[in-house]
Structure formats: C-alpha cells, structure tokens
Amino acid sequence: MLFRTTVIASAALALVATMVEAHSWADCVDWRFNDPAKPGWRASDGKCFGYARQYPVNSGVQFGGLDSYSPSRHYHQDPKDFIPCSDHFHGIEPGADETRQSPISKAYGGRFGVMATATAGQKMCIRWPAKNHAKPTEPNNPVWINMPQTILAKDPNQTGFTAANIAKLNYKNCNQIDGDTDHTPCGGCFDVPANLASGTYVIQWRWMLNKDEYYASCWDLQVNGASGQNPSTPSLGNSTSIFADLAEDN
C-alpha cells in the first residue's frame, strides 16, 4: 500500500511539474477565421494555412501537446547566446530544428506543414497554446513578431531579429477553456509590411515569460510584393472583445 501511495504521489507531482513548466510556441503562423465577423482561436473558429519550419502536422498530438512530443516544439533560448531559431541542440530547452533549410522549401510539405504565403500589406494571424500562462495570476508579457524587411541569404542573429520588430501581440488574447488552461488557444494578428518586394522572408515569434526567459519559433513567408501601390488589407470583421488588444504595431 505504501508503494502504491508513493507511486501515485510521484505521478501527481510529475503532472504538476509538467503543468508549471509548460511553455509556448507558434502553433499556426497563418490562421484564418471561418467567419471574420466572429474571430477566434478554437478549432471550430478557423483553419491553419501555414506553419513554422519542420512542423509535424501528422503527429496526431492534440493542440498544445507538442511540448511532450519528441522533438518538443517549445524552444527556450539560452541567454548566453540567444540563438534565434532552434537548432535542436542549443538552448536551455533545445526544441525542434527550426533552422533555415537549403532549399528553404525542404522545411515544408510531406510530414511537415505548408509554408505560409501572403501579399505585402496583408493582415496575418498567428495562434499559440496558453500552456497555463494566460491565467490572471500570470504576468502578461508580449509576443514580439520580428521580420527583417529584406530577402536574406541566411537567418540574422537575435540582435538582427530584435531590431526588425514589426508588432507586439497580447499573449493573453485567448479563448479560455474552463478547467484546461494548458490547452487554451490564443492568438494575435499583425500587418505584413506593405513595401516588400516579392520573395521569401524569415519571421520570428518571440515571447518573454520572465526576465531573460524567452521562447521562440521561426518560419519562412513567401510574399507577393507590392507593385505600384499598396495592396488592400483583407477585413477581419467587426471589433470584438477577443480583438480588443491584438497588437501594437511599431
């Protein structure tokens, strides 16, 4: 009986540790609402049309569960070097390989999700799991969207990404699920810069949980650039409570 009690207690402690230590990542980098007048982040609210590099879309893991998958999707940067895109080796928690592939298309298709596409000036939306950090007792540190506005031969370092910030998103912009703060879906939207030429650009999703504790996801975006005039921005519908504080564009 003592052995059984010890095992149960250990399992309970492990579950608590998992919940406390769960951290987030960019689950979908091109989230499109089924009804723009009723935006939301639940599976019933929209569909995903673009993913981070080498994202395992056929894993069979439920939304928000890829922190228990191997390799895990959450990448905790090491403040000693702040490698911007996980290489699956470095970092306090290494995460999956999100380095630039050659060719870039190698990171997409097949068992991986498709590459995101957009028109210059278009509004794009991103989804992420709350992972227990959207509760009222948790700090609400922003998500930074960093996007160099030139076509690069290789990924920049973190300083280069940070200098290329185009938006700050509200981490707690979520559809709360009662009793399951781990798998609560959250998201935000930003404008792709309107003056971009056609080509493939790199974007970083970066979230600070605590001071010097950053989590990051990287992906490539195929842009159909502006030609003579800025393209129109697709409407996302009327203002709603979930969009009250989606983004502060710099």
Side-chain angles (χ1 to χ4, degrees):
M1 180 64 70
L2 177 60
F3 174 75
R4 182 183 178 192
T5 302
T6 301
V7 170
I8 293 174
S10 298
L13 286 172
L15 177 61
V16 170
T18 300
M19 292 182 65
V20 170
E21 296 176 359
H23 306 307
S24 195
W25 59 90
D27 169 77
C28 174
V29 302
D30 185 5
W31 180 256
R32 303 182 192 178
F33 307 114
N34 292 332
D35 183 353
K38 299 177 180 179
W41 312 108
R42 297 161 297 195
S44 59
D45 295 323
K47 296 181 179 66
C48 189
F49 288 83
Y51 295 86
R53 292 168 172 169
Q54 303 193 87
Y55 199 91
V57 292
N58 298 320
S59 67
V61 178
Q62 68 168 319
F63 171 76
L66 289 177
D67 53 338
S68 300
Y69 181 81
S70 181
S72 170
R73 292 313 297 191
H74 75 257
Y75 164 48
H76 182 181
Q77 292 181 307
D78 187 338
K80 294 178 181 178
D81 52 36
F82 281 130
I83 292 174
C85 304
S86 172
D87 62 4
H88 189 43
F89 295 105
H90 296 87
I92 293 177
E93 293 167 282
D97 184 4
E98 291 188 344
T99 54
R100 178 180 172 129
Q101 299 297 296
S102 181
I104 289 174
S105 60
K106 186 178 177 181
Y108 304 95
R111 69 183 187 276
F112 302 134
V114 298
M115 187 192 303
T117 61
T119 301
Q122 176 184 325
K123 188 176 292 295
M124 297 194 76
C125 299
I126 303 173
R127 187 172 78 148
W128 58 83
K131 304 309 298 178
N132 300 305
H133 296 297
K135 298 180 291 187
T137 54
E138 288 279 335
N140 191 19
N141 294 319
V143 169
W144 284 273
I145 303 300
N146 301 321
M147 180 182 181
Q149 296 182 41
T150 55
I151 299 172
L152 303 173
K154 63 179 182 179
D155 289 345
N157 59 21
Q158 187 56 58
T159 299
F161 268 119
T162 301
N165 177 253
I166 61 170
K168 293 179 184 177
L169 308 183
N170 175 11
Y171 183 82
K172 292 187 180 184
N173 186 55
C174 310
N175 291 120
Q176 297 289 347
I177 299 176
D178 292 339
D180 189 358
T181 57
D182 188 38
H183 298 97
T184 283
C186 311
C189 302
F190 69 96
D191 292 328
V192 176
N195 60 345
L196 299 180
S198 295
T200 305
Y201 296 80
V202 61
I203 305 182
Q204 182 194 47
W205 175 100
R206 194 179 193 225
W207 167 58
M208 182 179 75
L209 174 56
N210 298 301
K211 180 176 170 53
D212 287 334
E213 183 180 357
Y214 292 92
Y215 299 85
S217 293
C218 293
W219 67 97
D220 304 288
L221 177 65
Q222 181 63 41
V223 174
N224 177 21
S227 57
Q229 61 181 6
N230 292 338
S232 60
T233 300
S235 171
L236 289 176
N238 299 325
S239 296
T240 65
S241 59
I242 193 173
F243 270 29
D245 187 19
L246 276 179
E248 297 176 359
D249 289 341
N250 284 351

